[in-house]
Amino acid sequence: HSGLSLLDPVRDVIAPVPSPWITAVRIDGVPQPVSELGAFSVPAMELESGRDRAEIELLAGSVVSGRGLRYQYRLEGVDPGWSSATASRSVLYAHLPAGRFRFMVRALAPDEEARSRGVAEMWLVVHPPLWRRPWFLGLAALVLAGGATVLYRYRVAHLVALERMRTSIATD
C-alpha cells in the first residue's frame, strides 16, 4: 500500500495548572476552621503575640503528566518575594512580628514552566503584646501624667505650707 503521511510538530496542548487550595490551618498546633474541601480564600486568622506559630497546608486539584505539582508561597510584609518552588504541601511561619499579613500560594507545573492562574490566599493578623497595644500605652501615659501631677501638687502644697509656717514664725 502506498500513502501519504503528515507529521505536524505542533506542541501538545498543555493542561492548565490547577489553582491551589488552603486545606488546613493550625495556630500553635490548634486546628482552625477551614472547609474540609479546602478554600481559595480563608477568613483572616488572628494570632496573639507569643502564640504566633502558623502552619498552613496546601493542595492543588490534579496531577500533571503523572508527576506532582510544586508550590510557591509568599507572606507579604515578611517574605521579600515568592519562595523557591517546593513539593512540600505545608508552610510554617513562627515568631511573626505584630501586623497584618497576606499569605498567598500558587501552583507550578513539575517543569515549572506553567503556573496556576489563581492564587489561594488568607490574612494573618498578629496582635502585639499587651504592653505594646495603643490603649495600654495611652493608659500608661495617663497614669504617668496623673502621678506626675499628684507629685507636683503635693510638692507645691508642701512648699506653700512651709512658707506659711515661716511667715507665721516671722510675724510672731
Side-chain angles (χ1 to χ4, degrees), residues 7-15 64-65 67 109-114:
L7 173 64
D8 187 4
V10 175
R11 191 174 190 174
D12 290 338
V13 176
I14 298 174
V64 179
S65 302
R67 295 181 295 178
D111 58 9
E112 298 182 23
E113 288 184 19

Side-chain angles (χ1 to χ4, degrees), residues 17-23 39-40 56-64 67-74 79 81-91 93 103-116 118-120:
V17 177
S19 295
W21 302 324
I22 296 174
T23 57
F40 294 112
I56 305 164
E57 291 187 11
L58 325 162
L59 181 66
S62 77
V63 175
V64 179
R67 295 181 295 178
L69 295 172
R70 300 176 68 77
Y71 301 93
Q72 283 185 313
Y73 53 86
R74 178 180 186 192
D79 296 331
W82 289 96
S83 69
S84 55
T86 179
S88 175
R89 292 187 357 205
S90 69
V91 179
Y93 286 101
F103 173 79
M104 298 179 297
V105 61
R106 63 186 179 192
L108 301 172
D111 58 9
E112 298 182 23
E113 288 184 19
R115 66 174 178 239
S116 60
V119 174

Side-chain angles (χ1 to χ4, degrees), residues 26-86:
R26 284 186 291 284
I27 306 298
D28 279 341
V30 178
Q32 302 298 309
V34 175
S35 170
E36 290 182 20
L37 300 175
F40 294 112
S41 181
V42 174
M45 300 284 170
E46 299 199 12
L47 295 84
E48 295 296 325
S49 180
R51 288 194 62 222
D52 53 6
R53 179 183 159 112
E55 186 175 359
I56 305 164
E57 291 187 11
L58 325 162
L59 181 66
S62 77
V63 175
V64 179
S65 302
R67 295 181 295 178
L69 295 172
R70 300 176 68 77
Y71 301 93
Q72 283 185 313
Y73 53 86
R74 178 180 186 192
L75 188 61
E76 287 182 344
V78 174
D79 296 331
W82 289 96
S83 69
S84 55
T86 179

